[in-house]
Amino acid sequence: QRLAFDDFIFFFSSRRRHTRCSGVSWARRCVQETGINAEYMGKIKIMSHKSTLRVLSQVLVGTMGSFIFGYGLGVFNTVQDIVAKQLDWPEDKKNFNVGLVTSTVALGAAFGAYLGGIVVSKFGRRLTMIMADVITIVAVFPTLVSNLGSILIGRILLGFAVGINSAVVPLYIREVSPNALSGTTGSCHQLLITLGILLSLVLGYGLPTKDDADFGTSNWWKIMFGIPLIPAAIRILGLLFVFTSDTPQYLSLIHI
C-alpha cells in the first residue's frame, strides 16, 4: 500500500475494496467508498503538491535519527585513547574495554531494531521517533561520567535508540515523500549515517595528542559524547511543533 502525494492522489485501503481518489473534488467520494467518516477525514488532510523544500525539510528532520546512528557508531573509535588514559585502564585490559564499549552499541541496536518494528506499528512513526530521541537524550548523560560501567549503560541505551531509528526512519521517509522525490529522499537515510560518522572523525581534531600536557585532563571527549543531544532535540522540536501529524498512510491504516 503506497500513499503518494502527487496530484492529490491518495490510496486508501479497506478490507473490501481499494479506491484511488484524485483531487479535492473527489474527497467526498473517497469518504463514501472507503467508509472514512468525517472525523477521520479531518485528520487525514487532503494535500496539494507539497513544495520540494517542505518535503526535504520533513525528511531532514526524520533523518536526524540516521545522523545519530552514524555518529554513535563512529565516535568512540575517535576518543578511545584519551578515555583509556583518563579512566586509567591497564594496558593489558585496554583492548578488552575498547571492544566492550564498542560492542554495547551493537547489542543495544539489536534489541532496538527488533522492538522498533513492533513499536512503530503500534504507536506510529512520529511518536516512535520521539521515543527514540528521548532515549538518546537519556543515554548521553551516563557517557559523560568518567566510569566504565556508566559509559556502558549509556552506550547500550544509545544503541537501543539507534536500532529503533534504523527501523522507523526509512519507513517515515518513504511515506512522506512524493513519487517525484522518492529517489532523492530515499538516499538521505544512508547519507546522514555517513555524515554522522564523518563528523565523529572530524571532531577528533579537537582532541589533544598524547604529547600534549592536557591529554589526561581534557574534557573534549565528553563534549563529543554529548553531540547527539543536538540532533535529538532538533527532531523532537520539529515533530512537536512543525510536522505535527503522523504519515497519512499510518493514519489511514489505523482508522479504516
Side-chain angles (χ1 to χ4, degrees):
Q1 299 172 357
R2 182 72 175 93
L3 195 64
F5 292 115
D6 300 277
D7 300 319
F8 297 78
I9 294 178
F10 282 81
F11 186 78
F12 295 104
S13 63
S14 66
R15 294 180 180 178
R16 297 181 179 180
R17 62 177 64 83
H18 298 287
T19 303
R20 190 174 181 83
C21 307
S22 179
V24 176
S25 62
W26 291 80
R28 183 170 300 176
R29 178 177 172 184
C30 286
V31 174
Q32 294 173 346
E33 296 195 13
T34 61
I36 304 174
N37 62 35
E39 176 187 358
Y40 294 146
M41 197 63 192
K43 295 180 180 179
I44 304 174
K45 300 177 181 179
I46 295 294
M47 304 178 74
S48 60
H49 288 290
K50 300 178 72 176
S51 69
T52 300
L53 179 60
R54 179 174 175 80
V55 172
L56 293 179
S57 299
Q58 191 168 1
V59 169
L60 180 61
V61 167
T63 52
M64 288 296 100
S66 308
F67 180 86
I68 295 171
F69 187 158
Y71 188 86
L73 291 179
V75 65
F76 189 71
N77 293 328
T78 309
V79 303
Q80 58 180 277
D81 288 335
I82 191 171
V83 170
K85 172 65 176 178
Q86 294 193 12
L87 270 62
D88 295 322
W89 290 348
E91 193 63 32
D92 59 336
K93 291 186 178 180
K94 177 183 174 181
N95 290 338
F96 174 80
N97 289 341
V98 167
L100 187 62
V101 174
T102 303
S103 63
T104 50
V105 175
L107 177 64
F111 287 101
Y114 174 75
L115 295 177
I118 299 173
V119 173
V120 76
S121 298
K122 184 175 180 60
F123 297 104
R125 292 61 164 139
R126 175 175 167 270
L127 187 56
T128 299
M129 289 191 291
I130 293 175
M131 291 179 183
D133 291 332
V134 171
I135 295 172
T136 298
I137 292 172
V138 172
V140 165
F141 294 100
T143 63
L144 305 182
V145 180
S146 300
N147 176 271
L148 176 59
S150 179
I151 291 175
L152 290 175
I153 292 173
R155 295 284 286 175
I156 289 175
L157 290 174
L158 181 63
F160 189 75
V162 163
I164 294 175
N165 280 317
S166 69
V168 67
V169 172
L171 183 63
Y172 182 78
I173 292 173
R174 181 176 66 86
E175 293 184 359
V176 301
S177 301
N179 288 337
L181 293 175
S182 59
T184 301
T185 58
S187 63
C188 289
H189 174 59
Q190 189 62 45
L191 174 62
L192 267 291
I193 291 176
T194 306
L195 291 178
I197 296 173
L198 176 63
L199 182 64
S200 71
L201 300 176
V202 171
L203 290 178
Y205 283 105
L207 291 169
T209 64
K210 294 181 179 180
D211 297 328
D212 293 334
D214 62 341
F215 182 71
T217 59
S218 174
N219 287 321
W220 183 250
W221 66 272
K222 295 184 179 181
I223 295 175
M224 292 178 64
F225 274 161
I227 289 294
L229 289 173
I230 299 174
I234 290 174
R235 191 166 69 172
I236 286 179
L237 293 174
L239 294 176
L240 288 179
F241 299 107
V242 182
F243 305 109
T244 57
S245 297
D246 212 315
T247 65
Q249 182 169 352
Y250 174 73
L251 293 176
S252 68
L253 290 176
I254 64 175
H255 290 314
I256 293 179

